[in-house]
């Protein structure tokens, strides 16, 4: 079935990019194809932006800034609330676009829409609460104030794995703060981004406040150089790999931009002997197999204590083997395809490496057609194996056995990554002890669905800088200005 036929409103399938409130072609006139990862079939084509298009988009964002910034928080909140309502009304179509270009099962795509739009609602509300402070002055003839003001023109570069949520988590706080923004979504998933833009226009968000440039991987590098090098841009928000984050941070250094980075992760999933086994199994299944394991907070190392280890491995293997892999539009499918052939190769290499080094394959371990990979459980994983160090980004559960809490703490932290960690225990004192010792930005204690609009999302070490969502997330898009008033 053609993608436009799956949509209730075919007008949400945009094949131009959004700049200055207009749907435009690239200046070069070139386009690139968007394919469904479950079938390999082309579903759309969109403009392939180059450096000159990026400059035009920054021009538009710069022009739109004074009037958007001058609105009251309450006025911006009302427009954003309309945007939220329209996103909710189009939720099913947005889910269809996500499934079509990213591959995740439709139910998961629906959950992503619900999650992603919650940031628009939240930050629409926060727009009214951007307060400053009156400070207690050390001088009787002076009054001191701290104001929080929009940082200015912002840019965002986002990944393919959550095509809607990774954009709303950035655009919503930027707009609420009074900033304007240029977004560059990933090559594989431009369609959801463009539909979000169409709904923003319909909601009355003025032209130039939100601009969305689409580009293929080669051109993304050129566009990225302009977005991170233009001195008119004050802030970069990037979600993606640590490797690319490093490049973009370096590029931002020449004009000293503020940067917010949400980068790679390598989450440990820790199960102590006293854990509720079924609770831990449910948590592991949902955290690991969500989006076929292609999530930054997906557990990549499973540490299970000796007394519960064999039961954990048996149960998780049985449950994993029962999951259905297939096209995300087919009813009953639990796991969709990986994003592309390169992703499948990487997952296979991690599995093969573990087995070559002595781990035992308990279930799965093989790719299917196109981008599909069987849910896989491997026991006997050691620290020397690649999957213990690098993000697998696939549906693989590699289990290592540990004996004592001290032994666990010696291996659970990661040299480079510090995004999320999970631990399961019924011992309250242990939960505190271990959570405090884990060097990660987010810890799930007997919980694996940890992300929501109220919570500060972000990592430590080379997993990132700054936080998204929560009452803290808007600070990324604000500057503090100090006023010293002399009483003469
Ligand atoms: P990626 O390769 O780093 O790409 C992310 C974005 O950066 C894409 O839009 C990509 O464009 C663009 N890009 C790549 N190289 C660039 C360059 N030199 N200059 C400018 N832009 C460039 O990451 P990915 O493979 O899409 O996503 C997976 C990674 O994201 C994983 O490491 C995952 O852990 C991380 N992630 C982190 C979070 C978090 O919140 N911490 C959330 C989700 C994902 P093209 O697509 O056009 O190449």
């Amino acid at each position: 079935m053609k993608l436009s036929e799956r949509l209730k409103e075919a007008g949400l399938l945009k094949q131009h990019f959004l700049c200055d409130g207009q749907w435009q072609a690239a200046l070069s006139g070139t386009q690139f194809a968007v394919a469904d990862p479950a079938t390999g079939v082309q579903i759309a084509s969109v403009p392939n932006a180059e450096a000159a298009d990026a400059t035009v988009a920054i021009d538009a964002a710069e022009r739109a800034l004074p009037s958007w910034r001058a609105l009251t928080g309450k006025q911006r909140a009302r427009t954003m609330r309309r945007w939220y309502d329209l996103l909710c009304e189009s939720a099913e179509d947005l889910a269809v676009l996500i499934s079509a270009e990213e591959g995740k099962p439709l139910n998961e795509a629906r959950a992503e829409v619900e999650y992603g739009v919650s940031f628009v609602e939240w930050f629409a509300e926060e727009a009214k609460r951007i307060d400053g402070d009156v400070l207690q002055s050390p001088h009787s003839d002076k009054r001191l104030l701290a104001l929080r003001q929009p940082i200015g023109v912002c840019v965002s570069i986002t990944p393919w794995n959550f095509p809607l949520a990774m954009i709303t988590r950035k655009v919503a706080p930027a707009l609420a703060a009074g900033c304007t923004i240029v977004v560059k979504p990933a090559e594989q998933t431009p369609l959801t981004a463009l539909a979000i833009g169409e709904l923003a226009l319909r909601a009355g968000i003025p032209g130039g406040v939100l601009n969305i440039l689409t580009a293929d991987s080669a051109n993304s590098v050129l566009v990225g150089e302009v977005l991170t090098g233009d001195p008119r841009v004050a802030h970069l928000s990037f979600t993606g790999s640590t490797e690319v984050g490093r490049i973009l941070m370096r590029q931002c250094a020449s004009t000293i931009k503020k940067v917010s980075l949400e980068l790679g992760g390598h989450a440990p999933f820790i199960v102590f002997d006293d854990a509720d086994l079924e609770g831990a199994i449910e948590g592991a299944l949902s955290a690991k197999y969500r989006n076929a394991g292609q999530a930054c907070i997906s557990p990549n190392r499973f540490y299970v204590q000796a007394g519960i280890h064999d039961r954990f491995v048996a149960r998780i293997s049985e449950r994993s083997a029962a999951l259905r892999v297939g096209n995300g539009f087919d009813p009953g499918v639990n796991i969709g395809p990986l994003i592309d052939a390169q992703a499948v190769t990487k997952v296979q290499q991690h599995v093969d490496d573990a087995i070559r080094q002595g781990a035992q394959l308990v279930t799965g371990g093989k790719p299917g057609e196109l981008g599909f990979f069987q849910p896989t459980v491997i026991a006997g994983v050691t620290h020397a194996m690649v999957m213990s160090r690098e993000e697998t980004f696939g549906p693989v559960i590699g289990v290592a056995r540990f004996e004592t809490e001290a032994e666990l703490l010696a291996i659970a932290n990661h040299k480079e990554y510090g995004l999320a960690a999970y631990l399961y225990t019924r011992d309250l004192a242990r939960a505190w002890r271990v959570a405090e010792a884990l060097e990660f930005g987010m810890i799930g204690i007997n919980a694996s669905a940890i992300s929501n609009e109220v919570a500060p999302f972000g990592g430590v070490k080379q997993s990132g800088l700054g936080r998204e969502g929560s009452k803290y997330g808007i600070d990324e898009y604000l500057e503090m200005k100090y006023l010293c008033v002399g009483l003469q």
Side-chain angles (χ1 to χ4, degrees):
M1 193 192 290
K2 276 172 64 181
L3 177 55
S4 55
E5 290 164 10
R6 288 190 189 276
L7 297 170
K8 290 188 195 141
E9 202 209 322
L12 285 179
L13 178 57
K14 305 307 284 187
Q15 305 198 53
H16 288 85
F17 58 54
L18 178 61
C19 183
D20 209 8
Q22 308 292 323
W23 293 104
Q24 301 187 5
L27 290 169
S28 66
T30 55
Q31 299 212 308
F32 66 97
V34 184
D36 176 345
T39 60
V41 170
Q42 178 176 337
I43 49 175
S45 80
V46 292
N48 200 2
E50 293 180 3
D53 297 289
T55 301
V56 170
I58 296 169
D59 294 344
E62 189 190 26
R63 273 196 306 278
L65 181 65
S67 48
W68 182 249
R69 182 172 51 190
L71 295 177
T72 62
K74 187 167 174 166
Q75 288 169 319
R76 287 196 298 273
R78 281 206 185 121
T79 309
M80 289 184 65
R81 178 71 206 194
R82 273 199 299 278
W83 185 31
Y84 168 73
D85 289 340
L86 293 180
L87 288 162
C88 291
E89 282 168 26
S90 295
E92 188 62 16
D93 277 349
L94 291 168
V96 166
L97 288 169
I98 293 173
S99 266
E101 63 181 352
E102 203 271 346
K104 67 183 61 170
L106 195 53
N107 268 340
E108 265 192 47
R110 290 182 180 122
E112 182 186 337
V113 175
E114 195 179 332
Y115 167 73
V117 302
S118 72
F119 291 90
V120 178
E121 182 185 42
W122 172 266
F123 283 110
E125 291 156 357
E126 288 297 285
K128 294 181 270 184
R129 301 191 187 99
I130 302 170
D131 299 324
D133 278 316
V134 178
L135 308 169
Q136 197 180 127
S137 176
H139 307 290
S140 58
D141 61 346
K142 285 186 183 137
R143 296 293 178 268
L144 316 181
L145 298 96
L147 309 185
R148 291 158 84 220
Q149 297 188 315
I151 190 164
V153 174
C154 301
V155 298
S156 280
I157 298 178
T158 57
W160 47 265
N161 60 350
F162 290 88
L164 185 138
M166 294 304 100
I167 293 179
T168 53
R169 260 181 17 184
K170 300 174 187 314
V171 172
L175 268 48
C179 300
T180 57
I181 194 161
V182 179
V183 179
K184 207 293 295 168
E187 172 184 14
Q188 295 95 333
T189 57
L191 302 178
T192 311
L194 296 174
I196 295 173
E198 167 66 12
L199 295 167
L201 284 186
R202 291 184 196 175
I205 291 177
V209 170
L210 169 60
N211 308 277
I212 302 170
L213 287 179
T214 52
D216 70 9
S217 251
N219 281 12
S220 284
V221 176
L222 310 174
V223 168
E225 281 168 3
V226 174
L227 298 182
T228 54
D230 192 309
R232 295 172 296 167
V233 173
H235 177 267
L236 163 77
S237 172
F238 170 72
T239 296
S241 60
T242 296
E243 187 192 347
V244 174
R246 243 179 242 124
I247 296 171
L248 297 177
M249 192 176 179
R250 206 176 298 132
Q251 289 175 189
C252 284
S254 62
T255 49
I256 316 288
K257 295 189 199 318
K258 186 169 174 184
V259 292
S260 309
L261 303 174
E262 297 288 350
L263 307 176
H266 203 277
F269 190 101
I270 301 157
V271 185
F272 286 98
D273 282 346
D274 64 359
D276 166 20
L277 177 63
E278 280 309 311
I281 295 287
E282 288 301 334
L285 290 167
S286 75
K288 183 69 233 188
Y289 293 131
R290 181 181 305 125
N291 202 22
Q294 303 170 111
C296 51
I297 57 171
S298 191
N300 217 93
R301 301 171 280 153
F302 288 74
Y303 297 124
V304 184
Q305 204 167 13
I308 200 172
H309 174 274
D310 292 355
R311 282 179 290 144
F312 181 91
V313 170
R315 186 80 180 118
I316 199 121
S317 304
E318 179 194 336
R319 294 285 303 274
S320 297
L323 295 174
R324 242 188 95 199
V325 183
N327 188 317
F329 286 112
D330 292 345
V333 161
N334 308 105
I335 301 180
L338 299 183
I339 192 69
D340 54 26
Q342 225 182 324
V344 177
T345 305
K346 182 181 181 191
V347 174
Q348 188 71 65
Q349 281 167 351
H350 282 208
V351 171
D352 292 348
D353 167 78
I355 291 168
R356 201 169 38 246
Q357 295 202 55
Q360 304 90 51
L361 181 64
V362 189
T363 190
K366 288 273 165 282
E369 286 169 36
L370 278 168
F372 297 103
F373 203 95
Q374 295 171 339
T376 298
V377 178
I378 296 175
V381 169
T382 68
H383 218 58
M385 296 170 185
V386 177
M387 71 168 64
S388 298
R389 299 188 303 275
E390 292 177 19
E391 268 186 302
T392 306
F393 241 52
V396 180
I397 293 178
V399 185
R401 182 196 298 260
F402 73 93
E403 301 284 342
T404 65
E405 190 180 308
E407 183 195 338
L408 178 272
L409 286 176
I411 52 175
N413 291 321
H414 193 281
K415 242 183 14 224
E416 183 180 343
Y417 295 121
L419 191 58
Y422 308 89
L423 73 108
Y424 280 73
T425 176
R426 281 190 274 213
D427 179 334
L428 186 60
R430 166 179 280 155
W432 274 107
R433 250 187 341 261
V434 176
E436 285 176 357
L438 287 171
E439 297 162 1
F440 295 83
M442 298 173 281
I443 316 266
I445 302 170
N446 299 321
S448 74
I450 58 173
S451 183
N452 54 65
E453 75 278 22
V454 178
F457 191 103
V460 300
K461 298 185 178 171
Q462 295 179 42
S463 284
L465 288 175
R467 293 294 180 270
E468 290 190 334
S470 81
K471 64 179 178 179
Y472 311 107
I474 202 158
D475 289 341
E476 305 290 319
Y477 300 89
L478 294 168
E479 293 265 44
M480 186 162 282
K481 182 183 280 177
Y482 159 57
L483 301 188
C484 177
V485 183
L487 304 181
Q488 291 167 350

